[in-house]
Amino acid sequence: AQSVTQPDIHITVSEGASLELRCNYSYGATPYLFWYVQSPGQGLQLLLKYFSGDTLVQGIKGFEAEFKRSQSSFNLRKPSVHWSDAAEYFCAEKAAGNKLTFGGGTRVLVKP
Amino acid sequence: GAVVSQHPSWVICKSGTSVKIECRSLDFQATTMFWYRQFPKQSLMLMATSNEGSKATYEQGVEKDKFLINHASLTLSTLTVTSAHPEDSSFYICSAFGQGKGGMNTEAFFGQGTRLTVV
């Protein structure tokens, strides 16, 4: 069965420091992968997506992610976090029928 | 990008009553929409796939008679929580695949979510 794993339940990072969120997927030779961000009580906003092509994907808000097939990973990074980046982050993979399988999420806390 | 609007954003209802949540695709047609449920500090769990003009497809363990889904048009899907009980209190989110920058059906757009509290 398809699964998406986010090993880190929560991460605390200082403002201005770099951030990396891990994601591993288990389905498909050509996965469709997404990273979403969710602020409390809100819906999900797409940060970036990968379908094919360049394995380093640029997204909004200064985020990027790198697809590594050999490691079945799609880790999200940001060089310098801002206090407004504190939120919940979800990695997801598209399966048949456009269904999305979500990872468990990683809560990011930003210290001043 | 495409926009999905969900209404209401929050609702409080009495135990035993029914609540309807609407999900609209504002600038694109969605033959398929998805309903998710999210418990506090947890991930999203797919409840059902809403298909325009046909019956919804429910995930295992989701009660069809409790969560009624209607997808009567290409831009509207509704989720009705029937005979609601406190354990139905949750955050419900809908989504639809639409045209993103990569072309048709390449991106899932999400509604703002509905916080349901059953008292």
Side-chain angles (χ1 to χ4, degrees):
Chain A
Q2 181 184 35
S3 68
V4 176
T5 304
Q6 294 179 243
D8 304 303
I9 296 175
H10 50 75
I11 286 179
T12 300
V13 62
S14 297
E15 191 168 14
S18 63
L19 174 69
E20 181 168 15
L21 305 182
R22 296 183 291 166
C23 172
N24 293 96
Y25 66 93
S26 69
Y27 176 81
T30 310
Y32 281 23
L33 299 164
F34 306 83
W35 273 101
Y36 289 91
V37 61
Q38 183 182 36
S39 297
Q42 300 294 313
L44 276 69
Q45 180 182 22
L46 180 70
L47 289 175
L48 46 79
K49 60 189 176 186
Y50 172 79
F51 291 158
S52 63
D54 193 347
T55 56
L56 186 61
V57 181
Q58 300 299 317
I60 63 171
K61 302 185 178 185
F63 285 93
E64 65 177 26
E66 185 171 13
F67 171 66
K68 292 185 177 180
R69 188 186 304 278
S70 61
Q71 299 178 17
S72 297
S73 69
F74 188 55
N75 294 350
L76 181 71
R77 299 193 293 254
K78 184 168 184 176
S80 176
V81 299
H82 186 261
W83 64 266
S84 59
D85 294 322
E88 186 90 21
Y89 292 79
F90 292 98
C91 181
E93 182 178 10
K94 186 165 81 85
N98 285 339
K99 293 182 181 182
L100 288 181
T101 298
F102 285 88
T106 299
R107 181 169 300 276
V108 173
L109 303 175
V110 180
K111 295 190 300 184
Chain B
V3 177
V4 173
S5 177
Q6 189 172 339
H7 178 80
S9 55
W10 61 270
V11 58
I12 300 173
C13 71
K14 291 185 177 181
S15 192
T17 62
S18 296
V19 174
K20 180 185 285 187
I21 302 170
E22 293 187 347
C23 181
R24 295 181 183 272
S25 56
L26 296 185
D27 49 2
F28 67 102
Q29 294 181 333
T31 56
T32 304
M33 291 186 177
F34 303 90
W35 288 96
Y36 294 85
R37 182 174 182 175
Q38 186 180 30
F39 290 103
K41 298 185 179 181
Q42 294 190 26
S43 188
L44 283 77
M45 180 192 76
L46 180 64
M47 298 174 64
T49 303
S50 172
N51 304 298
E52 188 270 335
S54 65
K55 291 183 178 181
T57 306
Y58 291 82
E59 296 300 302
Q60 191 173 7
V62 178
E63 298 177 61
K64 302 178 183 181
D65 296 330
K66 159 68 77 175
F67 300 101
L68 299 180
I69 291 173
N70 183 274
H71 196 152
S73 77
L74 288 172
T75 58
L76 174 64
S77 174
T78 60
L79 168 68
T80 301
V81 183
T82 63
S83 187
H85 291 283
E87 57 265 31
D88 298 323
S89 299
S90 191
F91 194 60
Y92 296 87
I93 307 176
C94 69
S95 80
F97 262 76
Q99 183 171 355
K101 291 182 179 179
M104 286 301 297
N105 295 327
T106 60
E107 184 173 328
F109 296 92
F110 286 82
Q112 305 93 315
T114 297
R115 169 76 57 198
L116 170 63
T117 302
V118 184
V119 298

